[in-house]
């Protein structure tokens, strides 16, 4: 409420309170009981005038009586007429004589009655005035402590009292329709809605409307795909979601949860890992591809069959790249073949194509079934049509070999858009255009890393040659709408190795560098927000959200940082470099992928065709949710089965003599 409106509101309530106080005084002291000062003076004056006339009449009658008696005495003494005997006289004669004497005048009784009546009236008026004065004094004494309360509180109490008096007629039903009242209340937060619910019953109905709390729940990121009818009380649902998020955040900070190692081909080396939501996809040197659904561990879609061409070749080609989103999983092999599967059905590939060269880069759109691949300088974009069939949208050839490829997220049903880096240039590939559009090109400054969001493209540029005074390596930010540079941040002597803009908070960008530091930049100010040091061989992967950062290093260390404090919460270490880091609200997936895909012990000329466990790499799945299943807290070695062919690696040490004799094989 503005200051002018508040002042007008106070004046109106002050006038109403003043008028109510005057009415109370009039009710407590009516006109007959408490006459005004002029009225009292008139009554007193009239009373004394009547008393004066009465006194004169009485004195006159007494004087006449004295004269009469004196005359009689004089007559008696002087030998006048004798006194008349009253016993022998008639009654009317005695009455007439008494009237003549003034001893039994009828006016005396009337005057006495009038005097008595007026005395009583005066006493009643005096008693009423004194009682009203005492009552006013008591009210003033009671109101004296209330003067210390602020006027604003008195007005607010009066407002609440008046609104409570009209509970039968809701306030907004008189002034505004219910729908408009909801539009007013939707601008309030949870605390303000709780305060409004305490005003009156009508306000409580509005403040606890399910539509308001449903929109607030979705606005905070909970139940994005739900509808209003999915919950009977969205207020309770939002409270439960907040409590759960608070618990999960505490578990993140204290490293409380379950840790699982996802293993498939124990005798082969891990080549590449990708994850999205609850799906984790991994490819191995054996040519096999494994898909895990962390929400449904026993899902049949975990087993993916490769195409017949790659399956019949001996030896089978290694898997070079894997990508997965919520609907599609893709894998590229060393021989140039590309397979795509459905995450719902698994089994046979739904799409397959062959490239003439080995793929250097492959990217899958995170929110649509669109795939981009690059083999040498050749680029290809594939997507589904309206009927669900895969079609090639466009092909292009760049002047140099493509090193990295990213599909712009948030396109939805629109045509996919790809960002590619080749040497010292960055291109935008739009299927609706004939040729790729050059976004950035600086001769002699190669691009080291690339990422894209729904509105910007970021790239790390390496400064080489004699230009050592130019400020070091930089990160350039370009707008997808205009194609012009928006910001240029960074000043590092080391090369930028990884950038994450897609998952970062708004206006923030997190990146890793070979100088062993993790940096967070504010794109609005063009300055560094945080600089964290914790890796010894450079940063290889990084991701951030609104309060934490997860980074992986070449030495195999996974670090979790608190962004605001700039301190490390905890860390985990494995043997190989961390090539993949992806987390959501309650889970974290990390992959340590070895650089050497053919270690000693995995060669065909060796006695053992399986690589040692320390050479294979590892995928770790962390679950910090409060409702984690009990089986997730059991170590993988305890969940293994003796029947498995790979059990000799570590289960042999758990066997006991009676197991061998009886032939029993416990499953868990």
């Amino acid at each position: 409420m503005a200051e002018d409106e508040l002042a007008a509101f106070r004046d109106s309530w002050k006038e109403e309170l003043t008028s109510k106080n005057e009415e109370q005084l009039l009710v407590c002291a009516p006109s007959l009981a408490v006459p005004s000062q002029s009225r009292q003076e008139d009554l007193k004056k009239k009373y004394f005038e009547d008393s004066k006339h009465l006194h004169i009449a009485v004195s006159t009658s007494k004087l006449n009586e004295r004269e009469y008696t004196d005359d009689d005495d004089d007559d008696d003494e002087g030998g006048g007429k004798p006194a008349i005997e009253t016993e022998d006289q008639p009654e009317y004669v005695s009455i007439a004589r008494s009237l003549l004497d003034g001893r039994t005048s009828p006016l005396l009784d009337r005057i006495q009655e009038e005097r008595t009546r007026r005395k009583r009236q005066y006493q009643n008026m005096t008693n009423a005035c004194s009682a009203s004065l005492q009552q006013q004094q008591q009210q003033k004494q009671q109101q004296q402590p209330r003067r210390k309360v602020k006027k604003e509180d008195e007005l607010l109490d009066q407002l609440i009292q008046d609104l409570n008096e009209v509970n039968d007629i809701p306030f907004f039903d008189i002034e505004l329709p219910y729908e408009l009242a909801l539009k007013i209340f939707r601008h309030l937060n949870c605390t303000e809605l709780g305060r409004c619910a305490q005003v009156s019953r009508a306000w409580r109905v509005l403040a606890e409307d399910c539509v308001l709390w449903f929109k607030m729940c979705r606005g905070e990121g909970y139940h994005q795909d739900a509808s209003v009818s999915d919950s009977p009380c969205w207020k309770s649902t939002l409270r439960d979601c907040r409590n759960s998020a608070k618990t999960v955040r505490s578990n993140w900070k204290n490293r409380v949860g379950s840790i699982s190692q996802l293993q498939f081909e124990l005798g082969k080396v891990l080549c590449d890992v990708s994850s999205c939501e609850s799906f984790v996809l991994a490819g191995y040197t054996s040519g096999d591809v494994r898909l895990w659904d962390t929400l449904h561990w026993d899902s049949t879609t975990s087993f993916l069959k490769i195409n017949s061409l790659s399956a019949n070749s001996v030896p089978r080609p290694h898997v070079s790249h894997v990508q997965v989103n919520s609907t599609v999983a893709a894998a590229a092999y060393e021989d140039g073949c590309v397979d795509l599967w459905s995450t719902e059905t698994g089994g046979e590939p739904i799409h397959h194509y062959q490239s003439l060269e080995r793929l250097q880069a492959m990217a899958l759109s995170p929110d649509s079934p669109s795939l981009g691949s690059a083999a040498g300088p050749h680029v290809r974009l594939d997507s589904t049509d309206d009927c669900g069939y895969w079609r090639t949208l466009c092909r292009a050839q760049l002047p140099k070999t493509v090193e990295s490829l990213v599909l712009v997220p948030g396109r939805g049903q629109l045509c996919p858009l790809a960002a590619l880096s080749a040497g010292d240039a960055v291109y935008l590939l739009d299927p609706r255009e004939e040729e790729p559009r050059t976004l950035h090109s600086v001769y002699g400054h190669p691009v080291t890393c690339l990422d894209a969001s729904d509105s910007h493209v970021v790239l790390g540029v390496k400064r080489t040659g004699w230009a050592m005074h130019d400020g070091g390596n930089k990160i350039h930010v370009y707008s997808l709408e205009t194609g012009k540079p928006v910001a240029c941040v960074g000043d590092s002597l080391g090369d930028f190795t990884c950038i994450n803009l897609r998952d970062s908070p708004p206006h923030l960008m997190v990146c890793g560098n070979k100088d062993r530091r993790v940096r967070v930049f504010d794109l609005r100010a063009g300055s560094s927000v945080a600089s964290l040091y914790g890796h010894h061989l450079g940063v290889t992967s990084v991701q951030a959200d609104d309060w934490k950062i997860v980074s992986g290093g070449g030495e195999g260390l996974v670090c979790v940082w608190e962004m605001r404090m700039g301190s490390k919460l905890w860390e985990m270490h494995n043997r190989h470099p961390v090539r993949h880091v992806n987390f959501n609200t309650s889970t974290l997936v990390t992959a340590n992928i070895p650089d050497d895909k053919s270690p000693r012990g995995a060669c065909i000329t060796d006695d053992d065709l399986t690589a040692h466990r320390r050479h294979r790499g590892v995928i770790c799945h962390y679950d910090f949710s409060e409702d984690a299943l009990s089986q997730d807290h059991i170590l993988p070695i305890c969940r293994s089965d003796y029947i498995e062919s790979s059990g000799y690696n570590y289960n042999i040490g758990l066997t006991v003599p009676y197991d061998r004799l009886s032939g029993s094989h416990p499953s868990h």
Side-chain angles (χ1 to χ4, degrees), residues 205-473:
V205 172
L206 287 169
E208 294 184 354
D209 191 89
C210 288
V211 177
L212 292 177
W213 292 97
F214 169 70
K215 292 182 178 179
M216 189 176 298
C217 187
R218 292 191 60 183
E220 295 186 8
Y222 306 117
H223 302 287
Q224 295 293 330
D225 299 332
S227 60
V228 182
S229 59
D230 291 343
S231 175
C233 181
W234 281 103
K235 182 179 180 180
S236 302
T237 303
L238 179 60
R239 181 181 64 248
D240 296 340
C241 291
R242 284 188 171 184
N243 293 336
S244 178
K246 184 177 180 180
T247 303
V248 170
R249 185 168 182 170
S250 177
N251 293 343
W252 265 99
K253 293 183 177 181
N254 299 315
R255 199 173 63 177
V256 177
S258 62
I259 304 177
S260 303
Q261 291 186 1
L262 308 182
Q263 298 181 3
F264 176 57
E265 286 291 330
L266 297 178
K268 302 301 178 181
V269 179
L270 186 64
C271 295
D272 194 18
V273 175
S274 176
S275 63
C276 179
E277 296 181 358
S278 62
F279 296 103
V280 181
L281 185 67
Y284 297 87
T285 55
S286 62
D288 293 320
V289 181
R290 169 75 182 203
L291 177 66
W292 288 274
D293 187 354
T294 57
L295 293 180
H296 308 89
W297 292 98
D298 56 348
S299 176
T300 57
T301 61
S302 300
F303 303 98
L304 304 179
K305 297 180 181 180
I306 63 176
N307 62 86
S308 58
L309 181 61
S310 299
N312 295 330
S313 60
V314 179
R316 293 170 59 182
H318 297 178
V319 178
S320 58
H321 299 87
V322 294
Q323 290 288 318
V324 65
N325 60 14
S326 59
T327 58
V328 179
Y333 302 90
E334 293 288 340
D335 58 355
C337 293
V338 178
D339 292 337
L340 283 89
W341 299 271
S342 173
T343 56
E344 296 180 1
T345 60
E348 297 291 338
I350 59 176
H351 183 57
H352 166 77
Y353 64 88
Q354 177 71 44
S355 177
L356 298 178
E357 301 179 15
R358 178 184 180 273
L359 272 65
Q360 283 83 22
M362 185 177 70
L364 190 64
S365 176
D367 50 11
S368 63
S370 300
L371 178 67
S373 59
H378 303 282
V379 184
R380 174 175 176 172
L381 286 180
D382 295 83
S383 182
T384 57
D385 56 11
D386 297 336
C387 298
Y389 295 101
W390 283 84
R391 298 288 185 267
T392 301
L393 297 180
C394 69
R395 298 174 184 266
Q397 183 176 357
L398 302 181
K400 297 181 180 180
T401 302
V402 178
E403 298 174 355
S404 58
L405 171 64
V406 177
L407 289 182
V408 176
R411 303 287 293 180
Q413 300 298 329
L414 300 177
C415 188
L417 181 64
L420 309 98
S421 65
D424 51 11
V426 176
Y427 303 91
L428 286 179
L429 179 59
D430 192 342
R432 296 169 294 184
E433 299 178 359
E434 296 181 357
E435 296 292 334
R437 178 161 46 100
T438 303
L439 187 66
H440 170 86
S441 179
V442 179
Y443 179 76
H445 298 277
V447 178
T448 57
C449 52
L450 180 69
D451 194 19
S453 66
D454 55 355
S455 59
H456 295 87
V457 173
V458 293
L459 50 111
V461 178
K462 181 178 181 180
R463 302 300 178 102
T464 58
W466 296 95
M468 297 302 295
H469 62 280
D470 57 0
N473 300 316

Side-chain angles (χ1 to χ4, degrees), residues 266-270 576 594 611-618 649:
L266 297 178
K268 302 301 178 181
V269 179
L270 186 64
H576 304 288
H612 193 272
R613 189 178 182 185
R614 63 175 177 265
H615 300 302
R616 300 170 190 162
V618 62
N649 288 277

